[in-house]
Amino acid sequence: MNRYRPPYTTGQIATLLHVAPRTVTKWCDSGRLKCYRLPGSTDRRIREEDLKFFLLVNELPSLEKLEAGLRTGILSIG
């Protein structure tokens, strides 16, 4: 089943990874995290597959594990 998931904002990723939104912006600016800007805006958006690649390359928990941790309030790394 093909599902559409809207792109993430820098704030959403910051919440998932427990970092400041500015940190996510720096990752985007440095090219570590692929993102795009909305036309006529400074807002950035990150596609799900780009976030998954970033997590994999940086040996961070999977997106599913991070989102489950947000829902339960518990983050288990390992």
Side-chain angles (χ1 to χ4, degrees), residues 56-68:
L56 180 68
V57 167
N58 290 284
E59 298 179 357
L60 295 169
S62 70
L63 182 57
E64 292 75 19
K65 192 177 265 191
L66 289 170
E67 288 179 336

Side-chain angles (χ1 to χ4, degrees), residues 17-38:
L17 298 177
H18 302 285
V19 298
R22 181 72 184 123
T23 300
V24 178
T25 300
K26 287 180 181 182
W27 290 338
C28 290
D29 290 347
S30 70
R32 289 181 63 196
L33 176 59
K34 187 176 176 182
C35 68
Y36 62 92
R37 288 190 180 204
L38 297 177

Side-chain angles (χ1 to χ4, degrees), residues 36-45:
Y36 62 92
R37 288 190 180 204
L38 297 177
S41 173
T42 59
D43 292 345
R44 293 168 175 83
R45 295 292 184 269

Side-chain angles (χ1 to χ4, degrees), residues 38-53:
L38 297 177
S41 173
T42 59
D43 292 345
R44 293 168 175 83
R45 295 292 184 269
I46 298 93
R47 297 180 321 164
E48 180 179 5
E49 53 269 21
D50 295 327
L51 176 57
K52 286 182 175 182
F53 182 75

